Amino acid sequence: MVTIKDIAKATGVSPSTVSRVIADNPRISPDTKKKVRKAMKKLGYHPNIHARNLVAKSTKAIGVILPSSADKALQNPFFPEVLRGIGSVTHKEQYTMMLSSGQTEEEILAEVERMVYGSYVDGMILLYSRMNDPVTQFLREREFPFVIVGKPYENISETTHVDNDNFSAGKEITEHLIEQGHKKIAFIGGARDLFVTVDREEGYKAALDEAGLENKEAYQIHTEFLKSGGREAVESLLALETPPTAIVISDDLISLGVLSMLEDSGLHVPKDISLVSFNNVYLSEITRPALTTIDIQIYELGAQSAKALIEKTVNKKEPAKRIIIPHNVIYRESVSEYKSE
Amino acid sequence: MVTIKDIAKATGVSPSTVSRVIADNPRISPDTKKKVRKAMKKLGYHPNIHARNLVAKSTKAIGVILPSSADKALQNPFFPEVLRGIGSVTHKEQYTMMLSSGQTEEEILAEVERMVYGSYVDGMILLYSRMNDPVTQFLREREFPFVIVGKPYENISETTHVDNDNFSAGKEITEHLIEQGHKKIAFIGGARDLFVTVDREEGYKAALDEAGLENKEAYQIHTEFLKSGGREAVESLLALETPPTAIVISDDLISLGVLSMLEDSGLHVPKDISLVSFNNVYLSEITRPALTTIDIQIYELGAQSAKALIEKTVNKKEPAKRIIIPHNVIYRESVSEYKSE
DNA sequence: CTGTTAGCGCATTCAC
DNA sequence: GTGAATGCGCTAACAG
C-alpha cells in the first residue's frame, strides 16, 4: 500500500505538503503540486479512507435503509430504480453507498445504530415511512441527518423528504377516467397504513366528489401487494350488482394481478373494464394491454433524495425541505371510453 | 463521542484492557469483563470502525457490484432478491455491504478501483459476468478476493462462483414438456452473450436430442429482456407453418411479455400453447395462468456468495470454489398435456 | 491477568 | 510556500 509518506519521499517534500496537494490547498506552489501529482499517479497512490475519516470526521458515505425484507414489497421494481437514482449522485459526488436491510424492525434498528455510532456514514436515506418507526425516532433524537423517500408520519415539516404529490396524481388519473365517460369507478389499494395508498385514494375520492359521482364504500378495497389475498376482494367487487366500469389501482404491481384475474373471469381490458395505476414501472409496458399509469419518476426520487441528503451532511444547518417530484400521466391501452347505455 | 479511553477511565482500567474486552480476549478476568461491559453499555460505547480498520487492516465490509445500470436488466426482481440474500449473511456476520452501480463500464471500474485502493472493502461480489470484463481482470490481477454470482467467462476453475446448474435445469424443464406429449418445442432466450441463457438453451437442446426430437433452428429465438424488440420474433415464431405447441423461456420476465403477446394473438395458455420458464420470481405466481418455472433460489444464491466471500477474506488462502445451488421445478398452470392429433 | 508503548495513514495546528 | 509535531481511536506487541 502506497501512502502519503511514500510519495513524500519520492518527491523530496514533506508528508504535510503532499496532504495539502491532495486537498488542493492554494498555498502550495503550482510546481510542487505538479511534481507531487505526477508521483502520486506514478506510484499509484490512493487515499486511505479510514485514516482520512479518523481525523476528518466525515465519511463521504451514506446509508440506505430498505424496508424490512420480510416485507414482500421489496420485490417491487421500485427499489432497484430508486437505488439507481441514488447511485447516480453518490457516484458523481464520489460518495459511497451502504445498503442495509434486515428481516425485522429490530434488526434494522440495530444496523442503523451501528452505522451512526460507529460513524460509518454521514447520513441516511430511508426508503420507507412507517408510523412510530423506532429508526426515524432514533435518528431524530440524535439529530443525525436523514431524508425520507415518501411522506413522513410525524414532524413532517421538520424532516426533509422527497415525495410525489400523490393526492393530485390520484385525482388526475381518476379525472381522466371520468372524462372518458366512466361513472362507476372503483379503487384498489395496498395496505392502508401506507401514505402513498391513502393519498392516492384521497385524490380518487376528491375527483369523484368534484364530478358529483357517488363515492361507494363497496368500491374501495385494500389488499396485500401480492398474492391471493386480493382475489376474493376483487371477485366480490365484480360480483356487485352494479360493478364498476373502471378501476384505479394504487400500484402497477397490483394491476398486474388484477389484470390477470379480470381476463381470467372473462372480462377484457379495456373493452369491458378500464384500468389505471401508478408508478410506471417497466412492467406496465409489457402487459397486454399496456397500462395507462402515472409516471412518478422513481429514478428522480432517488437522485433528489441523495442530493438533498448530501447537502444536509455538508451543511448541518440546512433547513428541512420538502421536495416534490412531478408526475405525469402515461397514456396507454388500458382505458377505453365508456358509452352509457 | 465516547471512546475506549472514556470507558477505561470510568472503570479504572487501561485502554488496552478495554480493547481486549471488546475482542473477548480469554485472558481477561470475568470480573473486569463484566465491569467493563457494564460501563460500555452505560456510557453508550460503540467502536469507531475507522480507527479499528486503520490498524486492523480489515474493513468487515464487502462491495456488491451491480451490472451497469444502463442495462435494463437491473429492473429484474432478481436483484433485490440476491441483495436480500447477501444482506442476511452480512448482517449476521456484522459485516457491512457497499453497493456500487454505475452507468457505464468505465464508471464501474473507477468505483471498484476506489474501493479496493482506498481499502473500503475486504472483498467483492459481482452480480454479473461478462466477457473481457475489465473489473474482473483488475480484481484478478490485484489478487483481490471476489466471487461471481453466475458463471465466469475466464479462468473458471480459479475463480470462486456460485451458480445454478443451468444446463440441467434447462434439460429438466424441457423434459417435463416432452413428458406431457409435446414434440414441437421452441426456445426464447435473452441476449446470447449471457451464460445463463446459453446454458439453459443447451439443456433444452440436449433434452430434445435425447428424446429424438427435431432441433429446429427456427424454433430458437433471442430477444431483449424487455420491450418490443421481441414482439416480431415471437410473432414470426407463431407464423411458422408448424408452430410450436410449447415454449421454454429463459426468464420469467420475458415470459410475462410473451404471455401477453400470446393472449393478444388469441392463443390461450396453456390450452393452445404451453409455457415454462426460469427463476420463480414473484411475478410467476401472479400471472394468469401462473407459470410453471424453475426455482433457482435467488436468495440462496446471494447468501452463499456472501458466505463464500467472507470465508475467502478471512482466509486468503481459501481455494477457489464452485458452489452450485440446487434448483427445482415449480409446477403451476402454464403447461398442459399435448394430445397428438 | 493487566498496563505501557508504539504506530496505523492522514489532516492540521504551529512554526519558520 | 513548506516542514515538524501532534493526535484522531484503536489494536498489538512487549513487559511485568
Short mmCIF file of all heavy atoms in Angstrom, two decimals, chain A residues 46 49-50 53 75 91 95-99 111 117-120 227 231 256-257 260 264 282-283 285-286 288 299, chain B residues 46 49-50 75 91 95-99 103 111 114 117-120 227 231 256-257 260 264 282-283 285-286 288:
data_model
loop_
_atom_site.label_atom_id
_atom_site.label_comp_id
_atom_site.label_asym_id
_atom_site.label_seq_id
_atom_site.Cartn_x
_atom_site.Cartn_y
_atom_site.Cartn_z
N HIS A 46 -3.51 6.08 -3.57
CA HIS A 46 -4.93 6.25 -3.31
C HIS A 46 -5.11 6.49 -1.83
O HIS A 46 -4.55 5.75 -1.02
CB HIS A 46 -5.71 5.00 -3.71
CG HIS A 46 -5.80 4.81 -5.18
ND1 HIS A 46 -6.90 5.18 -5.92
CD2 HIS A 46 -4.91 4.31 -6.07
CE1 HIS A 46 -6.70 4.90 -7.20
NE2 HIS A 46 -5.49 4.37 -7.32
N ILE A 49 -9.29 5.78 3.18
CA ILE A 49 -10.41 6.48 3.80
C ILE A 49 -10.42 6.40 5.30
O ILE A 49 -10.86 7.32 5.97
CB ILE A 49 -11.80 5.90 3.42
CG1 ILE A 49 -11.67 4.48 2.96
CG2 ILE A 49 -12.58 6.82 2.58
CD1 ILE A 49 -12.89 3.68 3.39
N HIS A 50 -9.99 5.28 5.82
CA HIS A 50 -10.11 5.12 7.26
C HIS A 50 -9.24 6.13 7.99
O HIS A 50 -9.66 6.76 8.95
CB HIS A 50 -9.75 3.70 7.66
CG HIS A 50 -10.63 2.71 7.00
ND1 HIS A 50 -11.99 2.70 7.20
CD2 HIS A 50 -10.38 1.73 6.10
CE1 HIS A 50 -12.52 1.73 6.46
NE2 HIS A 50 -11.57 1.14 5.78
N ASN A 53 -10.87 9.55 7.45
CA ASN A 53 -12.08 9.77 8.23
C ASN A 53 -11.80 9.88 9.71
O ASN A 53 -12.50 10.57 10.43
CB ASN A 53 -13.08 8.64 7.99
CG ASN A 53 -13.54 8.61 6.56
OD1 ASN A 53 -13.41 9.61 5.86
ND2 ASN A 53 -14.07 7.50 6.13
N GLN A 75 -39.87 -6.70 -3.36
CA GLN A 75 -39.84 -7.27 -4.69
C GLN A 75 -40.29 -6.26 -5.74
O GLN A 75 -40.21 -6.52 -6.93
CB GLN A 75 -40.77 -8.48 -4.73
CG GLN A 75 -40.37 -9.57 -3.77
CD GLN A 75 -39.89 -10.79 -4.51
OE1 GLN A 75 -39.50 -10.72 -5.67
NE2 GLN A 75 -39.89 -11.92 -3.85
N HIS A 91 -22.30 8.44 -6.88
CA HIS A 91 -21.15 8.23 -7.74
C HIS A 91 -20.53 9.56 -8.17
O HIS A 91 -19.33 9.77 -8.04
CB HIS A 91 -21.55 7.42 -8.97
CG HIS A 91 -20.45 7.28 -9.97
ND1 HIS A 91 -19.48 6.32 -9.87
CD2 HIS A 91 -20.14 8.01 -11.06
CE1 HIS A 91 -18.63 6.45 -10.86
NE2 HIS A 91 -19.00 7.48 -11.61
N TYR A 95 -19.27 9.74 -3.46
CA TYR A 95 -19.73 9.21 -2.19
C TYR A 95 -19.88 7.70 -2.31
O TYR A 95 -19.88 7.14 -3.40
CB TYR A 95 -21.09 9.82 -1.81
CG TYR A 95 -20.96 11.03 -0.94
CD1 TYR A 95 -20.33 12.17 -1.40
CD2 TYR A 95 -21.49 11.03 0.35
CE1 TYR A 95 -20.21 13.29 -0.60
CE2 TYR A 95 -21.38 12.15 1.15
CZ TYR A 95 -20.74 13.27 0.67
OH TYR A 95 -20.62 14.38 1.48
N THR A 96 -20.03 7.12 -1.17
CA THR A 96 -20.16 5.69 -1.10
C THR A 96 -21.54 5.38 -0.54
O THR A 96 -22.08 6.14 0.23
CB THR A 96 -19.05 5.15 -0.17
OG1 THR A 96 -17.86 5.04 -0.93
CG2 THR A 96 -19.41 3.82 0.41
N MET A 97 -22.06 4.25 -0.94
CA MET A 97 -23.44 3.95 -0.57
C MET A 97 -23.49 2.63 0.18
O MET A 97 -23.13 1.59 -0.35
CB MET A 97 -24.23 3.88 -1.88
CG MET A 97 -25.60 3.35 -1.82
SD MET A 97 -26.22 3.49 -3.54
CE MET A 97 -27.72 2.58 -3.39
N MET A 98 -23.94 2.69 1.42
CA MET A 98 -24.03 1.46 2.19
C MET A 98 -25.47 1.02 2.28
O MET A 98 -26.33 1.81 2.63
CB MET A 98 -23.48 1.68 3.59
CG MET A 98 -22.08 2.26 3.53
SD MET A 98 -21.17 2.01 5.03
CE MET A 98 -21.68 0.41 5.44
N LEU A 99 -25.68 -0.22 2.00
CA LEU A 99 -27.04 -0.72 1.98
C LEU A 99 -27.33 -1.49 3.25
O LEU A 99 -26.49 -2.19 3.77
CB LEU A 99 -27.23 -1.66 0.78
CG LEU A 99 -28.65 -1.79 0.31
CD1 LEU A 99 -29.16 -0.44 -0.12
CD2 LEU A 99 -28.72 -2.77 -0.84
N GLU A 111 -28.82 -2.24 13.05
CA GLU A 111 -27.88 -1.87 11.99
C GLU A 111 -27.71 -0.36 11.92
O GLU A 111 -26.60 0.15 11.77
CB GLU A 111 -28.39 -2.38 10.64
CG GLU A 111 -28.24 -3.87 10.46
CD GLU A 111 -27.44 -4.21 9.21
OE1 GLU A 111 -27.55 -3.48 8.21
OE2 GLU A 111 -26.67 -5.19 9.25
N TYR A 117 -23.39 5.18 15.28
CA TYR A 117 -22.43 5.22 16.38
C TYR A 117 -21.02 4.89 15.91
O TYR A 117 -20.05 5.45 16.40
CB TYR A 117 -22.85 4.25 17.48
CG TYR A 117 -24.01 4.72 18.30
CD1 TYR A 117 -25.08 3.89 18.57
CD2 TYR A 117 -24.03 6.02 18.81
CE1 TYR A 117 -26.14 4.31 19.34
CE2 TYR A 117 -25.08 6.46 19.57
CZ TYR A 117 -26.15 5.61 19.84
OH TYR A 117 -27.18 6.05 20.59
N GLY A 118 -20.92 3.97 15.00
CA GLY A 118 -19.61 3.59 14.51
C GLY A 118 -19.10 4.56 13.46
O GLY A 118 -18.04 4.35 12.89
N SER A 119 -19.88 5.60 13.24
CA SER A 119 -19.57 6.59 12.21
C SER A 119 -19.20 5.93 10.89
O SER A 119 -18.13 6.14 10.34
CB SER A 119 -18.51 7.58 12.66
OG SER A 119 -17.26 7.01 12.79
N TYR A 120 -20.13 5.13 10.44
CA TYR A 120 -19.98 4.52 9.14
C TYR A 120 -20.39 5.49 8.04
O TYR A 120 -19.85 5.47 6.97
CB TYR A 120 -20.88 3.28 9.04
CG TYR A 120 -20.36 2.06 9.72
CD1 TYR A 120 -20.49 1.88 11.10
CD2 TYR A 120 -19.74 1.06 9.00
CE1 TYR A 120 -20.03 0.73 11.72
CE2 TYR A 120 -19.27 -0.09 9.61
CZ TYR A 120 -19.40 -0.24 10.97
OH TYR A 120 -18.93 -1.37 11.58
N LYS A 227 -50.16 -11.63 -4.36
CA LYS A 227 -50.80 -12.87 -3.97
C LYS A 227 -52.30 -12.88 -3.80
O LYS A 227 -53.01 -11.91 -4.08
CB LYS A 227 -50.16 -13.39 -2.69
CG LYS A 227 -48.78 -13.96 -2.86
CD LYS A 227 -48.76 -15.23 -3.66
CE LYS A 227 -48.74 -16.44 -2.78
NZ LYS A 227 -47.74 -16.46 -1.77
N ARG A 231 -57.61 -11.74 -4.35
CA ARG A 231 -58.52 -12.37 -5.31
C ARG A 231 -59.99 -12.23 -4.92
O ARG A 231 -60.81 -11.75 -5.69
CB ARG A 231 -58.19 -13.86 -5.44
CG ARG A 231 -56.94 -14.12 -6.23
CD ARG A 231 -56.85 -15.60 -6.65
NE ARG A 231 -57.72 -15.93 -7.75
CZ ARG A 231 -57.46 -15.59 -9.01
NH1 ARG A 231 -56.38 -14.92 -9.29
NH2 ARG A 231 -58.29 -15.92 -9.97
N LEU A 256 -51.05 -5.77 -12.25
CA LEU A 256 -50.71 -6.99 -12.94
C LEU A 256 -51.58 -8.13 -12.47
O LEU A 256 -52.16 -8.88 -13.27
CB LEU A 256 -49.24 -7.31 -12.71
CG LEU A 256 -48.72 -8.56 -13.38
CD1 LEU A 256 -48.91 -8.46 -14.87
CD2 LEU A 256 -47.27 -8.80 -13.03
N GLY A 257 -51.68 -8.26 -11.16
CA GLY A 257 -52.52 -9.31 -10.61
C GLY A 257 -53.98 -9.13 -10.98
O GLY A 257 -54.65 -10.08 -11.40
N SER A 260 -54.74 -10.06 -14.60
CA SER A 260 -54.84 -11.49 -14.85
C SER A 260 -56.18 -12.02 -14.37
O SER A 260 -56.84 -12.81 -15.04
CB SER A 260 -53.73 -12.23 -14.11
OG SER A 260 -52.52 -11.58 -14.27
N ASP A 264 -59.12 -13.60 -16.55
CA ASP A 264 -59.50 -14.92 -16.08
C ASP A 264 -61.02 -15.05 -15.97
O ASP A 264 -61.59 -16.08 -16.28
CB ASP A 264 -58.88 -15.10 -14.70
CG ASP A 264 -58.30 -16.46 -14.54
OD1 ASP A 264 -57.90 -17.05 -15.57
OD2 ASP A 264 -58.23 -16.94 -13.40
N TYR A 282 -41.45 -0.72 -15.41
CA TYR A 282 -41.33 -1.33 -16.74
C TYR A 282 -42.43 -2.34 -17.05
O TYR A 282 -42.82 -2.52 -18.19
CB TYR A 282 -39.98 -2.00 -16.89
CG TYR A 282 -39.84 -3.20 -16.02
CD1 TYR A 282 -39.94 -4.48 -16.54
CD2 TYR A 282 -39.62 -3.06 -14.65
CE1 TYR A 282 -39.85 -5.58 -15.73
CE2 TYR A 282 -39.52 -4.15 -13.83
CZ TYR A 282 -39.64 -5.41 -14.37
OH TYR A 282 -39.55 -6.48 -13.56
N LEU A 283 -42.93 -2.98 -16.01
CA LEU A 283 -43.99 -3.97 -16.19
C LEU A 283 -45.17 -3.41 -16.94
O LEU A 283 -45.82 -4.10 -17.71
CB LEU A 283 -44.51 -4.40 -14.82
CG LEU A 283 -43.73 -5.42 -14.05
CD1 LEU A 283 -44.43 -5.67 -12.74
CD2 LEU A 283 -43.66 -6.68 -14.88
N GLU A 285 -45.44 -1.60 -19.29
CA GLU A 285 -45.33 -1.58 -20.75
C GLU A 285 -45.50 -2.97 -21.33
O GLU A 285 -45.88 -3.14 -22.47
CB GLU A 285 -43.93 -1.13 -21.18
CG GLU A 285 -43.57 0.26 -20.81
CD GLU A 285 -42.22 0.59 -21.42
OE1 GLU A 285 -42.10 0.50 -22.66
OE2 GLU A 285 -41.29 0.90 -20.67
N ILE A 286 -45.14 -3.94 -20.56
CA ILE A 286 -45.12 -5.31 -21.06
C ILE A 286 -46.48 -5.95 -21.08
O ILE A 286 -46.78 -6.77 -21.92
CB ILE A 286 -44.21 -6.19 -20.20
CG1 ILE A 286 -42.83 -5.58 -20.06
CG2 ILE A 286 -44.09 -7.56 -20.80
CD1 ILE A 286 -41.87 -6.48 -19.34
N ARG A 288 -50.34 -6.87 -21.47
CA ARG A 288 -51.27 -6.71 -22.58
C ARG A 288 -52.63 -6.56 -21.95
O ARG A 288 -53.06 -7.45 -21.24
CB ARG A 288 -51.20 -7.97 -23.45
CG ARG A 288 -51.09 -7.88 -24.91
CD ARG A 288 -50.27 -6.84 -25.57
NE ARG A 288 -49.13 -6.29 -24.84
CZ ARG A 288 -48.22 -5.50 -25.36
NH1 ARG A 288 -48.29 -5.16 -26.58
NH2 ARG A 288 -47.24 -5.01 -24.65
N TYR A 299 -36.60 7.12 -10.48
CA TYR A 299 -35.17 7.40 -10.53
C TYR A 299 -34.88 8.77 -9.93
O TYR A 299 -33.97 8.93 -9.10
CB TYR A 299 -34.73 7.37 -11.99
CG TYR A 299 -33.28 7.65 -12.24
CD1 TYR A 299 -32.35 6.62 -12.28
CD2 TYR A 299 -32.83 8.94 -12.46
CE1 TYR A 299 -31.02 6.87 -12.54
CE2 TYR A 299 -31.50 9.21 -12.71
CZ TYR A 299 -30.60 8.17 -12.75
OH TYR A 299 -29.28 8.44 -13.00
N HIS B 46 -19.61 2.72 21.38
CA HIS B 46 -19.65 1.99 20.11
C HIS B 46 -18.30 2.16 19.44
O HIS B 46 -17.81 3.28 19.35
CB HIS B 46 -20.74 2.54 19.20
CG HIS B 46 -22.11 2.20 19.66
ND1 HIS B 46 -22.84 1.16 19.14
CD2 HIS B 46 -22.89 2.75 20.61
CE1 HIS B 46 -24.01 1.09 19.73
NE2 HIS B 46 -24.07 2.05 20.64
N ILE B 49 -15.25 2.35 13.59
CA ILE B 49 -14.65 1.45 12.60
C ILE B 49 -13.38 1.99 11.97
O ILE B 49 -12.49 1.25 11.63
CB ILE B 49 -15.52 1.17 11.36
CG1 ILE B 49 -16.53 2.27 11.18
CG2 ILE B 49 -16.02 -0.22 11.31
CD1 ILE B 49 -16.79 2.52 9.71
N HIS B 50 -13.37 3.26 11.75
CA HIS B 50 -12.23 3.80 11.02
C HIS B 50 -10.94 3.61 11.80
O HIS B 50 -9.92 3.20 11.27
CB HIS B 50 -12.47 5.27 10.70
CG HIS B 50 -13.69 5.47 9.88
ND1 HIS B 50 -13.82 4.91 8.63
CD2 HIS B 50 -14.85 6.10 10.14
CE1 HIS B 50 -15.01 5.22 8.15
NE2 HIS B 50 -15.66 5.94 9.05
N GLN B 75 -33.80 -4.03 -13.75
CA GLN B 75 -35.19 -3.99 -13.34
C GLN B 75 -35.70 -5.38 -12.96
O GLN B 75 -36.80 -5.52 -12.46
CB GLN B 75 -36.03 -3.45 -14.49
CG GLN B 75 -35.66 -2.06 -14.90
CD GLN B 75 -36.77 -1.08 -14.58
OE1 GLN B 75 -37.63 -1.35 -13.77
NE2 GLN B 75 -36.74 0.05 -15.22
N HIS B 91 -25.39 -9.18 7.55
CA HIS B 91 -25.96 -8.76 8.82
C HIS B 91 -25.54 -9.69 9.96
O HIS B 91 -25.06 -9.26 10.99
CB HIS B 91 -27.47 -8.69 8.73
CG HIS B 91 -28.13 -8.36 10.02
ND1 HIS B 91 -28.27 -7.07 10.46
CD2 HIS B 91 -28.62 -9.15 11.00
CE1 HIS B 91 -28.85 -7.09 11.65
NE2 HIS B 91 -29.07 -8.34 11.99
N TYR B 95 -21.17 -7.69 9.10
CA TYR B 95 -20.47 -7.06 8.00
C TYR B 95 -21.30 -5.94 7.43
O TYR B 95 -22.50 -5.84 7.70
CB TYR B 95 -20.17 -8.08 6.90
CG TYR B 95 -18.83 -8.72 7.02
CD1 TYR B 95 -18.52 -9.50 8.15
CD2 TYR B 95 -17.85 -8.58 6.04
CE1 TYR B 95 -17.29 -10.09 8.27
CE2 TYR B 95 -16.62 -9.18 6.16
CZ TYR B 95 -16.34 -9.94 7.27
OH TYR B 95 -15.12 -10.53 7.39
N THR B 96 -20.66 -5.16 6.63
CA THR B 96 -21.31 -4.03 6.01
C THR B 96 -21.30 -4.26 4.52
O THR B 96 -20.41 -4.89 3.99
CB THR B 96 -20.53 -2.76 6.40
OG1 THR B 96 -20.97 -2.34 7.68
CG2 THR B 96 -20.74 -1.67 5.41
N MET B 97 -22.31 -3.70 3.86
CA MET B 97 -22.44 -4.00 2.44
C MET B 97 -22.45 -2.70 1.65
O MET B 97 -23.30 -1.85 1.86
CB MET B 97 -23.77 -4.74 2.30
CG MET B 97 -24.29 -4.95 0.94
SD MET B 97 -25.81 -5.94 1.19
CE MET B 97 -26.52 -5.79 -0.42
N MET B 98 -21.47 -2.56 0.80
CA MET B 98 -21.42 -1.34 0.00
C MET B 98 -21.89 -1.63 -1.41
O MET B 98 -21.43 -2.60 -2.03
CB MET B 98 -20.01 -0.81 -0.05
CG MET B 98 -19.45 -0.67 1.35
SD MET B 98 -18.10 0.47 1.44
CE MET B 98 -18.66 1.70 0.35
N LEU B 99 -22.77 -0.80 -1.88
CA LEU B 99 -23.35 -1.05 -3.19
C LEU B 99 -22.71 -0.14 -4.21
O LEU B 99 -22.41 1.02 -3.95
CB LEU B 99 -24.84 -0.77 -3.14
CG LEU B 99 -25.65 -1.50 -4.19
CD1 LEU B 99 -25.47 -3.00 -4.02
CD2 LEU B 99 -27.11 -1.14 -4.06
N GLN B 103 -23.24 3.89 -14.50
CA GLN B 103 -23.94 3.87 -15.78
C GLN B 103 -23.16 3.09 -16.82
O GLN B 103 -23.71 2.40 -17.64
CB GLN B 103 -24.15 5.30 -16.29
CG GLN B 103 -24.93 6.19 -15.36
CD GLN B 103 -26.42 5.95 -15.44
OE1 GLN B 103 -26.87 5.12 -16.21
NE2 GLN B 103 -27.19 6.65 -14.64
N GLU B 111 -15.12 3.01 -9.78
CA GLU B 111 -15.61 2.80 -8.42
C GLU B 111 -14.91 1.62 -7.76
O GLU B 111 -14.53 1.68 -6.59
CB GLU B 111 -17.11 2.53 -8.44
CG GLU B 111 -17.95 3.75 -8.71
CD GLU B 111 -18.99 3.98 -7.61
OE1 GLU B 111 -19.53 3.00 -7.09
OE2 GLU B 111 -19.21 5.15 -7.27
N ARG B 114 -11.47 2.56 -6.69
CA ARG B 114 -11.52 3.38 -5.49
C ARG B 114 -11.75 2.50 -4.26
O ARG B 114 -11.11 2.65 -3.22
CB ARG B 114 -12.66 4.40 -5.63
CG ARG B 114 -12.53 5.59 -4.74
CD ARG B 114 -13.44 6.72 -5.19
NE ARG B 114 -14.84 6.38 -5.19
CZ ARG B 114 -15.68 6.64 -4.20
NH1 ARG B 114 -15.24 7.26 -3.12
NH2 ARG B 114 -16.93 6.31 -4.27
N TYR B 117 -8.43 0.24 -3.67
CA TYR B 117 -7.26 1.02 -3.29
C TYR B 117 -7.49 1.79 -1.99
O TYR B 117 -6.58 1.94 -1.19
CB TYR B 117 -6.90 2.00 -4.41
CG TYR B 117 -6.24 1.34 -5.58
CD1 TYR B 117 -6.66 1.62 -6.88
CD2 TYR B 117 -5.20 0.43 -5.41
CE1 TYR B 117 -6.05 1.03 -7.98
CE2 TYR B 117 -4.59 -0.16 -6.49
CZ TYR B 117 -5.01 0.14 -7.78
OH TYR B 117 -4.42 -0.46 -8.84
N GLY B 118 -8.65 2.31 -1.82
CA GLY B 118 -8.94 3.07 -0.61
C GLY B 118 -9.25 2.16 0.56
O GLY B 118 -9.59 2.63 1.63
N SER B 119 -9.11 0.86 0.33
CA SER B 119 -9.46 -0.15 1.33
C SER B 119 -10.81 0.13 1.97
O SER B 119 -10.94 0.26 3.18
CB SER B 119 -8.36 -0.32 2.37
OG SER B 119 -8.22 0.78 3.20
N TYR B 120 -11.79 0.23 1.10
CA TYR B 120 -13.15 0.37 1.57
C TYR B 120 -13.72 -0.99 1.97
O TYR B 120 -14.53 -1.08 2.87
CB TYR B 120 -14.03 0.93 0.45
CG TYR B 120 -13.90 2.41 0.21
CD1 TYR B 120 -12.84 2.94 -0.52
CD2 TYR B 120 -14.85 3.28 0.72
CE1 TYR B 120 -12.74 4.30 -0.74
CE2 TYR B 120 -14.76 4.65 0.50
CZ TYR B 120 -13.70 5.15 -0.23
OH TYR B 120 -13.60 6.49 -0.44
N LYS B 227 -39.52 -5.21 -23.59
CA LYS B 227 -39.89 -4.38 -24.70
C LYS B 227 -40.15 -5.06 -26.04
O LYS B 227 -40.11 -6.26 -26.19
CB LYS B 227 -38.86 -3.26 -24.90
CG LYS B 227 -38.88 -2.21 -23.83
CD LYS B 227 -40.12 -1.37 -23.83
CE LYS B 227 -39.97 -0.09 -24.61
NZ LYS B 227 -38.80 0.69 -24.29
N ARG B 231 -41.27 -8.73 -29.90
CA ARG B 231 -42.61 -8.97 -30.48
C ARG B 231 -42.54 -9.65 -31.84
O ARG B 231 -43.14 -10.70 -32.05
CB ARG B 231 -43.36 -7.65 -30.62
CG ARG B 231 -43.86 -7.08 -29.32
CD ARG B 231 -44.88 -5.96 -29.56
NE ARG B 231 -46.18 -6.46 -29.94
CZ ARG B 231 -47.04 -6.99 -29.10
NH1 ARG B 231 -46.73 -7.11 -27.82
NH2 ARG B 231 -48.21 -7.42 -29.50
N LEU B 256 -43.52 -13.06 -19.12
CA LEU B 256 -44.61 -12.13 -18.92
C LEU B 256 -44.97 -11.46 -20.24
O LEU B 256 -46.14 -11.40 -20.63
CB LEU B 256 -44.21 -11.08 -17.89
CG LEU B 256 -45.26 -10.04 -17.58
CD1 LEU B 256 -46.52 -10.70 -17.08
CD2 LEU B 256 -44.74 -9.04 -16.57
N GLY B 257 -43.95 -10.99 -20.93
CA GLY B 257 -44.19 -10.35 -22.20
C GLY B 257 -44.77 -11.31 -23.23
O GLY B 257 -45.75 -11.00 -23.90
N SER B 260 -48.44 -12.12 -22.62
CA SER B 260 -49.38 -11.09 -23.06
C SER B 260 -49.55 -11.13 -24.57
O SER B 260 -50.65 -11.03 -25.09
CB SER B 260 -48.87 -9.71 -22.67
OG SER B 260 -48.40 -9.71 -21.37
N ASP B 264 -52.84 -12.00 -26.65
CA ASP B 264 -53.17 -10.95 -27.60
C ASP B 264 -53.51 -11.53 -28.96
O ASP B 264 -54.43 -11.07 -29.64
CB ASP B 264 -51.94 -10.06 -27.75
CG ASP B 264 -52.33 -8.61 -27.76
OD1 ASP B 264 -53.39 -8.29 -27.19
OD2 ASP B 264 -51.59 -7.79 -28.33
N TYR B 282 -41.47 -13.62 -8.02
CA TYR B 282 -42.84 -13.50 -7.53
C TYR B 282 -43.87 -13.31 -8.65
O TYR B 282 -45.01 -13.72 -8.55
CB TYR B 282 -42.97 -12.34 -6.56
CG TYR B 282 -42.79 -11.01 -7.22
CD1 TYR B 282 -43.89 -10.20 -7.51
CD2 TYR B 282 -41.53 -10.56 -7.58
CE1 TYR B 282 -43.72 -9.00 -8.15
CE2 TYR B 282 -41.36 -9.37 -8.23
CZ TYR B 282 -42.46 -8.59 -8.51
OH TYR B 282 -42.29 -7.41 -9.16
N LEU B 283 -43.41 -12.68 -9.74
CA LEU B 283 -44.29 -12.44 -10.87
C LEU B 283 -44.95 -13.71 -11.36
O LEU B 283 -46.10 -13.72 -11.78
CB LEU B 283 -43.50 -11.90 -12.05
CG LEU B 283 -43.16 -10.45 -12.05
CD1 LEU B 283 -42.31 -10.13 -13.26
CD2 LEU B 283 -44.45 -9.65 -12.07
N GLU B 285 -46.14 -16.10 -10.01
CA GLU B 285 -47.32 -16.54 -9.29
C GLU B 285 -48.53 -15.69 -9.63
O GLU B 285 -49.66 -16.11 -9.51
CB GLU B 285 -47.13 -16.38 -7.78
CG GLU B 285 -46.06 -17.22 -7.18
CD GLU B 285 -46.09 -17.05 -5.68
OE1 GLU B 285 -47.14 -17.34 -5.07
OE2 GLU B 285 -45.08 -16.58 -5.11
N ILE B 286 -48.25 -14.46 -9.98
CA ILE B 286 -49.33 -13.52 -10.19
C ILE B 286 -49.99 -13.65 -11.54
O ILE B 286 -51.16 -13.41 -11.70
CB ILE B 286 -48.81 -12.07 -10.09
CG1 ILE B 286 -48.08 -11.86 -8.78
CG2 ILE B 286 -49.95 -11.09 -10.18
CD1 ILE B 286 -47.63 -10.44 -8.62
N ARG B 288 -51.66 -14.87 -14.92
CA ARG B 288 -52.73 -15.81 -15.19
C ARG B 288 -52.45 -16.38 -16.56
O ARG B 288 -52.41 -15.61 -17.51
CB ARG B 288 -54.06 -15.06 -15.16
CG ARG B 288 -55.23 -15.58 -14.40
CD ARG B 288 -55.10 -16.17 -13.06
NE ARG B 288 -53.92 -15.82 -12.27
CZ ARG B 288 -53.75 -16.21 -11.01
NH1 ARG B 288 -54.63 -16.91 -10.40
NH2 ARG B 288 -52.68 -15.91 -10.35
#
